[in-house]
Amino acid sequence: MPSARLTLDPRATVGAIDRRLFGSFVEHLGRCVYDGIYEPSHPAADDDGFRVDVLDLVRELGVSTVRYPGGNFVSGYRWEDGVGPREDRPRRRDLAWHSTETNEIGLDEFASWARKAGSELMYAVNLGTRGVLDALDVLEYANGRAGTTLADRRVANGTTEPHGIRMWCLGNEMDGPWQLGASTPEEYAEIAAKTASAMKQVDPALELVVCGSSSSQMPTFGRWERVVLERAYEDVDFISCHAYYEPKGGDLGSFLASATDMDRFIESVVATADAVKAARRSDKEIAISFDEWNVWYQSRFHEVDKITDVDDWPVAPRLLEDGYSVMDAVVVGNLLISLLRHADRVTSASLAQLVNVIAPIMTEPGGPAWRQTTFFPFAETSRHARGVTLDVAVDAPDYETARFGRVPLVDAVATYDADSGATAVFAVNRSLDEEVVLEIDVSRLDASASLSARLLSDADIHARNTLEDPERVSLREVAVDRDGDVATLTLPAVSWVVVEIR
Ligand code: AHR
């Protein structure tokens, strides 16, 4: 049986872990908002129409921030449609998802939902079909103190205190040809820089996210980041990264190594941002907001889900409702390992999305809410990855992939929380057919530390949780043997594990 060895040293740190790494994303798309977080006729709905069973799961998931309201949706969105008396709100065509937007939920309702969920709201402005003035307007409405027209409108609509939104996204995926108002890097750099500068004139403490490329596969990737940062550097704080993974042509070996792509993507964007920093002789460092990431079976969307009938504009259709397998959850767990490994520069991230739409939480109208397989690695990582990321030496056998060449069979990261003294190890076995013995050298930790582990794996790597069988897959406790300075456990093929060392 192959074996892999990790050496833990609490003094070898990568950087502090920002809680915003465990964010998610709610877009007006499919059944994420309507029939997802909001279903006033559901028996579990609260007085505001929000499903309490969903709120409970969101809290259990440990979601720190929620990006809202899109996504592609935001590039055609008029924020003012979603505020004020519901009966006066317009119904609009949402061109991004070929749906009808009823505007029953808007900024004030969502901010109230985020408070209930215990999550920070991160708001995206429309820079696809709108510009500087509209961004300033929604900022005044959201954050202004009473005394000016738009802030007073919020008060009149029932929210006396400003929402106090700190993080703002300057549009969404503006390089994508599918995006309303898609731009060249130069066009976007101009509008993003002007919007950022105007928003900072209102409040210099805002944290602004400029759009990076919509994926590292875009033809302008690299140049886009450089051009945008050269123009907007001093007024923005983050640049975004987006990445979705799915098996291509049945190549599961490469799919299981998707985190290799995420590692390279992050390191390329950091290098580009730092090159701009050096050329500007700036002291300021740009952080990464990895504000869309997940496994997403996009091929299924294009072949099955996509609405193309010109007269069909449904309300809250079932779109992008991927059912996730154990293998998908192992990939998600590994992507979290990649994000943690870059905690020094990735200080915000959003699992896309939260409910029903490529989501860890699923719901049925009038029926139950349940956890997808991907729920488990996210919830456990959010709960246990505290303090700092450790620079872990991983000594593991490797395997050949079509996409990335040779990659390690085992990938891992560890975190250390000085306050509680707890160390956590997160690891995956990417092998499709072999168990791996994981040895953890704990000689530099407290000799009396106790170890426990929870594992995600299944004899059927395609097993899922469904409406009919919502608890088919869950985590299980596994034994960790300790012999002096070495702890040992066995990782089945295609598995994810968290080891707690207290
Ligand atoms: O998350 C689904 C979509 O993926 C988002 O709307 C868009 O930003 C991305 O292309």
Side-chain angles (χ1 to χ4, degrees):
M1 196 187 300
S3 64
R5 193 177 177 97
L6 314 181
T7 305
L8 303 183
D9 182 352
R11 286 158 306 180
T13 62
V14 172
I17 300 162
D18 197 308
R19 287 301 301 159
R20 282 179 174 159
L21 216 51
F22 305 105
S24 187
F25 177 29
V26 168
E27 178 168 2
H28 284 247
L29 191 183
R31 299 192 308 123
C32 189
V33 173
Y34 307 112
D35 280 357
I37 64 167
Y38 177 75
E39 192 186 335
S41 60
H42 193 278
D46 66 12
D47 291 345
D48 294 324
F50 295 127
R51 282 184 63 158
V52 172
D53 53 349
V54 174
L55 275 166
D56 286 343
L57 286 175
V58 172
R59 283 188 286 260
E60 182 184 327
L61 189 61
V63 174
S64 55
T65 45
V66 189
R67 184 168 175 253
Y68 174 86
N72 296 340
F73 170 79
V74 82
S75 291
Y77 184 51
R78 306 167 214 216
W79 66 270
E80 64 277 18
D81 285 353
V83 300
R86 277 209 171 105
E87 59 278 15
D88 297 340
R89 297 186 191 179
R91 289 165 73 89
R92 301 255 191 217
R93 285 179 176 176
D94 160 26
L95 303 189
W97 303 107
H98 217 288
S99 307
T100 295
E101 173 56 50
T102 63
N103 284 305
E104 274 172 87
I105 295 291
L107 174 52
D108 293 320
E109 291 85 13
F110 191 74
S112 143
W113 180 86
R115 273 192 296 277
K116 291 181 188 194
S119 302
E120 177 188 353
L121 169 55
M122 173 179 170
Y123 193 85
V125 300
N126 173 358
L127 291 189
T129 52
R130 292 190 143 186
V132 183
L133 193 58
D134 292 300
L136 290 177
D137 282 352
V138 67
L139 175 59
E140 180 187 333
Y141 183 90
N143 285 4
R145 296 229 151 261
T148 59
T149 301
L150 291 171
D152 286 348
R153 196 192 295 176
R154 184 198 66 240
V155 174
N157 289 338
T159 310
T160 318
E161 284 304 308
H163 292 303
I165 303 171
R166 307 311 319 154
M167 247 183 120
W168 295 76
C169 303
L170 302 166
N172 176 69
E173 295 191 348
M174 294 307 306
D175 61 336
W178 57 86
Q179 201 71 220
L180 281 174
S183 316
T184 64
E186 290 77 12
E187 287 165 348
Y188 174 67
E190 203 53 33
I191 193 170
K194 286 179 176 160
T195 308
S197 154
M199 292 176 80
K200 290 248 167 140
Q201 246 173 278
V202 175
D203 182 354
L206 296 179
E207 296 173 67
L208 303 182
V209 186
V210 75
C211 292
S213 302
S214 49
S215 88
S216 60
Q217 307 307 309
M218 296 303 283
T220 52
F221 173 62
R223 194 171 92 75
W224 176 281
E225 280 71 11
R226 180 178 57 73
V227 170
V228 165
L229 286 177
E230 277 170 355
R231 177 70 181 87
Y233 201 88
E234 294 307 332
D235 285 318
V236 301
D237 305 280
F238 296 85
I239 185 158
S240 70
C241 291
H242 290 181
Y244 293 102
Y245 300 97
E246 67 184 311
K248 300 252 168 77
D251 177 8
L252 303 186
S254 297
F255 176 57
L256 282 158
S258 296
T260 310
D261 179 80
M262 187 182 249
D263 287 340
R264 292 178 187 172
F265 186 5
I266 292 169
E267 286 153 26
S268 304
V269 176
V270 166
T272 309
D274 287 351
V276 177
K277 175 183 179 211
R280 298 177 65 83
R281 287 146 183 88
S282 174
D283 291 334
K284 177 178 167 182
E285 197 163 77
I286 297 288
I288 289 182
S289 173
F290 215 119
D291 48 40
E292 289 189 32
W293 69 270
N294 204 347
V295 170
W296 174 12
Y297 286 76
Q298 292 201 44
S299 43
R300 185 176 157 267
F301 169 67
H302 290 290
E303 285 154 22
V304 184
D305 275 0
K306 200 167 180 174
I307 304 165
T308 48
D309 179 348
V310 95
D311 293 322
D312 190 15
W313 297 87
V315 174
R318 289 183 186 255
L319 291 177
L320 283 63
E321 299 203 2
D322 287 0
Y324 290 119
S325 67
V326 169
M327 175 175 59
D328 297 329
V330 169
V331 171
V332 163
N334 200 168
L335 295 172
L336 283 159
I337 289 172
S338 171
L339 291 171
L340 281 171
R341 181 161 39 233
H342 297 95
D344 54 335
R345 293 303 287 270
V346 185
T347 56
S348 167
S350 303
L351 174 71
Q353 298 192 6
L354 186 57
V355 182
N356 289 329
V357 172
I358 45 174
I361 299 168
M362 297 299 290
T363 70
E364 198 51 28
W370 68 96
R371 300 166 190 82
Q372 292 237 51
T373 55
T374 53
F375 186 100
F376 301 110
F378 189 99
E380 291 287 314
T381 309
S382 176
R383 184 168 313 129
H384 296 293
R386 304 272 168 161
V388 293
T389 296
L390 300 184
D391 189 5
V392 178
V394 183
D395 185 7
D398 55 16
Y399 71 106
E400 186 65 28
T401 62
R403 208 171 147 205
F404 310 112
R406 295 201 77 76
V407 298
L409 206 54
V410 169
D411 194 15
V413 76
T415 60
Y416 173 68
D417 183 12
D419 291 342
S420 65
T423 302
V425 174
F426 306 90
V428 288
N429 174 8
R430 295 160 162 171
S431 171
L432 280 160
D433 43 32
E434 274 191 301
E435 289 183 345
V436 174
V437 174
L438 181 66
E439 297 169 353
I440 308 173
D441 179 339
V442 291
S443 57
R444 289 169 212 175
L445 303 181
D446 188 336
S448 63
S450 68
L451 289 98
S452 61
R454 271 179 303 287
L455 179 83
L456 185 75
S457 81
D458 199 281
D460 175 7
I461 62 169
H462 302 291
R464 302 166 178 191
N465 290 340
T466 59
L467 174 61
E468 295 72 31
D469 196 356
E471 293 182 8
R472 163 71 182 78
V473 178
S474 59
L475 295 172
R476 67 190 152 91
E477 300 279 334
V478 285
V480 185
D481 297 326
R482 180 161 182 179
D483 184 5
D485 286 340
V486 180
T488 308
L489 67 158
T490 302
L491 300 184
V494 189
S495 61
W496 174 92
V497 75
V498 53
V499 183
E500 268 188 276
I501 308 170
R502 293 193 162 272

